[in-house]
Amino acid sequence: MALSKDRGITMNDGNKIPILGFGTYPPDACEEATKTAIEFGFRHIDGAYVYQSEEQVGRAVRAKISDGTVKREDIFYTGKLWSTFHRPELVRKCLEESLKKLQFDYMDLFIIHNPFSMKPGPDLLPTGEDKKTIFDNVDLRQTWEAMEACKDAGLVRSIGVSNFTRKQLEMILNNPGLKYKPVINQVECHPYRNQSKLLAFCKSNNILLEGYSVLGSQRDPRWIDQNTPVLLEDPLLVAIAKKYNKTPALVAIRYQLQRGLVVLVKTYTRKRIEENAQAFTFQLSEEDMKSIDGLHKSMSFLKAEIFAGHPQYYPPDVE
C-alpha cells in the first residue's frame, strides 16, 4: 500500500507538507534510494547543503518526472541553510548553490539547519589547529530576514528552522520586523527524547514540529554517540510491535505521526523503504501511546562535542 498523496498538513503560510518524508543522507546510493522512495509513494524529500547529495537527489527526481511517475509540483523538497552561510549576505548564495545542484527552479521549504553559526568559507566544519570548531557570531534575526527575502524572491515557498530551542524560536517570533514566522522546526525526536515541551510550544504558535532520528539513528560514528542504546531493540517497542504484528520501526514512526509531528525516515534498503510506507495502515491505542511516552529520558543520539562550545548550544534536556 503506497502512501496517499493527500497525507499532508497545512502549514501556517497556507502551503501543505506531506507528513512522512524521506531523508537523503548519506550521499552514497542516495540516487537509487530516492527513486525507490518516490516509486513507493514518498513525495516529501528532505535534503541539505551539508549532505552533499543534492546532485543525486535532483537526478532522481528528474528521472521520475521523465518516466511519468510524478510532476515537479508533486514533490515537496526541503533544503537547509548550512551554518557557514548564516551571515545575511551569504544566505541566498547557499540557496542558489543548492538549487543549481538540484537543477530546480525553487525549493518547497528552506530551513536554517542549526542555530550555531560557523566561520564562512569552503570548509563545512571549519576547525582550528586545536581541532575545535571555529564558530561565527551572527544575529540569527538577521539571518531570518535574509530567509524572508529568499521567499519574497520566489526562490523558496516556505521557510523554517531546525534544532531550535523554545528560547531561540522566541527570538525569531519576537523580532519587531518579523514578516513570516517559521512554518516548522525540525529536531531530533524519538521515544528517548520526545520533545513534549517543545511540541506543546510549537503547537501553541502554529509551528509544526518535524522529527528526525525517529528510529534512533543510522549509527554513523561521525555524528552519533556509539555508546547510546539501540532504540529499536527497546523491550517495550518490541512488545508493542509484536502486539500489532508490525516492526519496532513502524511503531516508532506511528507514535510520532499520532502526536502530530511531520516524520522523516532514512533508509536506503528497498525492503525498509517499502515497510516505512506502511505507517498509515494501523493505529496505536491511547494506552500504548502513554507507555511509549514513559520511555523519555532526555537522551540524544548526537555527539554533543561538535557544537558544545557554541554559546547557543543547549543540552538535550533543554527544550
Side-chain angles (χ1 to χ4, degrees), residues 36-297:
T36 300
I38 293 172
E39 289 166 8
F40 280 115
F42 282 89
R43 296 295 178 262
H44 176 178
I45 309 297
D46 181 84
Y49 182 93
V50 75
Y51 294 169
Q52 299 181 285
S53 60
E54 291 172 314
E55 290 180 357
Q56 296 95 313
V57 172
R59 284 197 299 267
V61 171
R62 292 195 302 278
K64 301 320 291 179
I65 291 173
S66 296
D67 70 11
T69 303
V70 291
K71 298 176 182 177
R72 170 62 184 94
E73 55 266 31
D74 296 328
I75 297 296
F76 187 100
Y77 180 82
T78 299
K80 302 184 186 77
L81 176 75
W82 184 235
S83 298
T84 54
F85 292 89
H86 278 186
R87 295 185 183 182
E89 66 272 18
L90 298 178
V91 170
R92 181 163 176 162
K93 181 177 184 286
C94 179
L95 174 57
E96 289 179 335
E97 285 186 19
S98 289
L99 288 172
K100 184 178 180 181
K101 291 174 186 175
L102 291 158
Q103 293 186 33
F104 288 174
D105 295 325
Y106 67 93
M107 275 188 201
D108 298 275
L109 175 62
F110 190 47
I111 62 180
I112 299 175
H113 202 149
N114 280 301
F116 320 117
S117 306
M118 298 184 203
K119 177 187 174 183
D123 295 336
L124 293 175
L125 284 172
T127 54
E129 292 181 0
D130 59 0
K131 305 300 180 182
K132 292 184 179 179
T133 303
I134 303 175
F135 294 111
D136 196 19
N137 184 22
V138 180
D139 186 339
L140 290 176
R141 290 170 294 188
Q142 294 181 353
T143 305
W144 185 254
E145 288 170 1
M147 297 279 286
E148 292 175 324
C150 289
K151 176 177 168 69
D152 285 338
L155 297 174
V156 60
R157 296 188 169 174
S158 299
I159 51 177
V161 297
S162 178
N163 299 310
F164 273 47
T165 63
R166 172 175 177 161
K167 183 178 179 180
Q168 291 158 346
L169 281 171
E170 286 176 333
M171 178 179 65
I172 300 296
L173 294 173
N174 295 331
N175 186 14
L178 183 68
K179 192 170 185 179
Y180 306 114
K181 66 194 295 187
V183 297
I184 207 161
N185 184 19
Q186 186 184 120
V187 297
E188 178 185 1
C189 192
H190 44 76
Y192 291 166
R193 188 184 185 188
N194 65 30
Q195 304 275 16
S196 59
K197 293 178 183 177
L198 187 59
L199 175 60
F201 175 79
C202 286
K203 284 184 176 180
S204 72
N205 284 277
N206 198 20
I207 297 171
L208 290 176
L209 198 66
E210 180 175 25
Y212 65 81
S213 293
V214 297
L215 305 182
S217 71
Q218 293 178 317
R219 314 303 292 184
D220 187 329
R222 289 172 293 182
W223 305 98
I224 303 303
D225 183 347
Q226 299 300 295
N227 295 318
T228 53
V230 179
L231 176 68
L232 299 183
E233 293 176 2
D234 187 276
L236 178 65
L237 292 182
V238 171
I240 292 175
K242 188 175 181 180
K243 172 181 173 181
Y244 291 90
N245 195 26
K246 303 294 181 183
T247 62
L250 270 179
V251 170
I253 293 169
R254 184 69 205 184
Y255 168 69
Q256 302 294 4
L257 290 173
Q258 287 183 214
R259 300 174 75 217
L261 273 77
V262 175
V263 175
L264 293 178
V265 291
K266 293 183 182 181
T267 179
Y268 288 177
T269 306
R270 186 179 184 90
K271 180 181 177 182
R272 288 179 180 169
I273 292 172
E274 182 178 14
E275 174 194 313
N276 291 341
Q278 310 301 311
F280 300 103
T281 62
F282 73 108
Q283 184 157 332
L284 296 170
S285 70
E286 187 176 341
E287 180 184 1
D288 289 329
M289 289 290 291
K290 288 181 179 177
S291 295
I292 299 173
D293 283 342
L295 293 176
H296 176 69
K297 57 182 78 175

